[in-house]
Amino acid sequence: MSPLPTERSLRTTPEGLHWEPSERWVRGVKGDVTVVDSRHPVLVWEPELPVPQYAFPRADVREDLLRPAKNPHTGTHTGSQIFYDLEVGDERVANAAWTFPSADLADHIAFEWFRRPGRGLDHWYEEEEEIFIHPRDPHKRVDSMPSSRHVQVEIDGTLVADTRRPVLLFETALPTRYYIPRQDVRLDLFTPTEHHTGCPYKGTAEYWSWRGDADVPPNLVWSYPEPLPAVGPIRGLLAFFNEAVDIIVDGERQERPVTPFSATLKPSSPRGPAPA
């Protein structure tokens, strides 16, 4: 017998939006002003975005800080109806918020967040933890597990890493990432870069690029020096993009996966993508 639907069941609107209530306490801050403070947010998935966004009941939003958008970005969100500029003090942020036309979400306001720096609020918090890039997806798992597998990494035939003490990171819908102790990586073959990215599941990453002549993308290697507690075992370890290097696990050469990152992993790319 199938379980009955619950209040947390995923719902679908005629416009193709998927949404569900969240029980997390979410706050958004601009400067020293709290613009959003909600214990009843909803998570919304747009058809063209792989990650969720939050929308909030109007009563939980400082609507007195919102102004009708001077130049509304129509068409940037699924069925978006009304855009707002955010005005805090002397600063005005264009198209910082919007509404969805769906009847289910008519009394909610969404804010820019996902990969749009400078277009939204300065900080977001779930409970007391700051969240970056986008909200965490409750239907996605990220697990880091110490292992004794024999993992080797080659670039253009050169062995650059060899370990029997990796940490394997399993993330829904992405290939396994192999995090390797620094002592087991030929870091002398790489150069640290100024590139950094944030991940809501793992934290802030730092990068290295290959110093050799191989035709590989920049920012090929990354590490989380201060990972979030949930993935603490990867602290300070190094990972390589499976899509761009050769990885051998227990003597078996792995096929290079095709992922959403593959298109941006090009030798001519000035910057690498956010790591997975």
Side-chain angles (χ1 to χ4, degrees):
M1 182 176 178
S2 300
L4 294 174
T6 69
E7 286 301 311
R8 293 179 61 82
S9 296
L10 200 64
R11 299 111 186 256
T12 303
T13 74
E15 297 81 11
L17 297 166
H18 299 289
W19 69 277
E20 69 177 11
S22 172
E23 296 179 357
R24 299 184 183 190
W25 175 26
V26 179
R27 301 180 308 290
V29 178
K30 182 67 177 176
D32 59 358
V33 176
T34 298
V35 178
V36 177
D37 188 335
S38 180
R39 288 169 172 80
H40 303 286
V42 298
L43 285 163
V44 182
W45 287 262
E46 294 191 54
E48 302 302 320
L49 288 179
V51 299
Q53 304 167 81
Y54 275 123
F56 306 95
R58 288 180 175 272
D60 299 339
V61 174
R62 286 282 306 274
E63 286 195 80
D64 60 304
L65 302 176
L66 299 181
R67 308 285 183 265
K70 292 182 177 179
N71 298 292
H73 285 176
T74 56
T76 56
H77 294 284
T78 303
S80 51
Q81 190 174 45
I82 300 174
F83 280 84
Y84 299 97
D85 294 346
L86 173 68
E87 194 170 278
V88 178
D90 296 330
E91 184 176 359
R92 186 170 183 134
V93 182
N95 295 287
W98 74 96
T99 62
F100 292 111
S102 168
D104 292 351
L105 302 171
D107 294 327
H108 291 71
I109 297 176
F111 283 80
E112 288 289 0
W113 194 351
F114 174 62
R115 293 181 181 173
R116 295 183 176 92
R119 293 259 307 274
L121 306 188
D122 296 334
H123 303 282
W124 286 98
Y125 301 89
E126 292 177 346
E127 302 300 332
E128 296 302 323
E129 186 171 310
E130 186 169 7
I131 305 300
F132 305 93
I133 308 300
H134 61 79
R136 293 170 179 163
D137 189 329
H139 303 286
K140 184 172 185 176
R141 285 187 63 94
V142 180
D143 298 302
S144 56
M145 299 182 180
S147 176
S148 59
R149 288 176 180 260
H150 185 197
V151 177
Q152 298 170 295
V153 181
E154 293 181 355
I155 295 179
D156 198 31
T158 299
L159 183 67
V160 299
D162 190 336
T163 189
R164 294 181 183 271
R165 48 180 183 160
V167 171
L168 275 55
L169 189 132
F170 302 94
E171 186 167 354
T172 303
L174 288 173
T176 304
R177 301 300 191 188
Y178 300 93
Y179 282 79
I180 301 172
R182 295 188 182 218
Q183 301 92 322
D184 298 337
V185 177
R186 288 284 310 277
L187 259 184
D188 58 303
L189 300 177
F190 299 88
T191 301
T193 74
E194 297 300 318
H195 187 44
H196 292 81
T197 59
C199 171
Y201 304 101
K202 296 180 284 292
T204 300
E206 57 187 9
Y207 288 80
W208 289 259
S209 290
W210 174 245
R211 294 177 59 185
D213 296 327
D215 195 26
V216 295
N219 300 305
L220 188 65
V221 186
W222 73 86
S223 178
Y224 289 94
E226 297 292 338
L228 297 176
V231 291
I234 69 172
R235 180 185 300 272
L237 306 189
L238 300 166
F240 295 77
F241 276 106
N242 311 41
E243 299 88 337
V245 302
D246 294 311
I247 296 181
I248 302 98
V249 181
D250 292 333
E252 181 178 349
R253 191 173 295 269
Q254 308 295 296
E255 290 188 14
R256 293 190 183 183
V258 177
T259 73
F261 302 106
S262 298
T264 57
L265 283 167
K266 299 178 181 179
S268 59
S269 298
R271 302 178 69 179

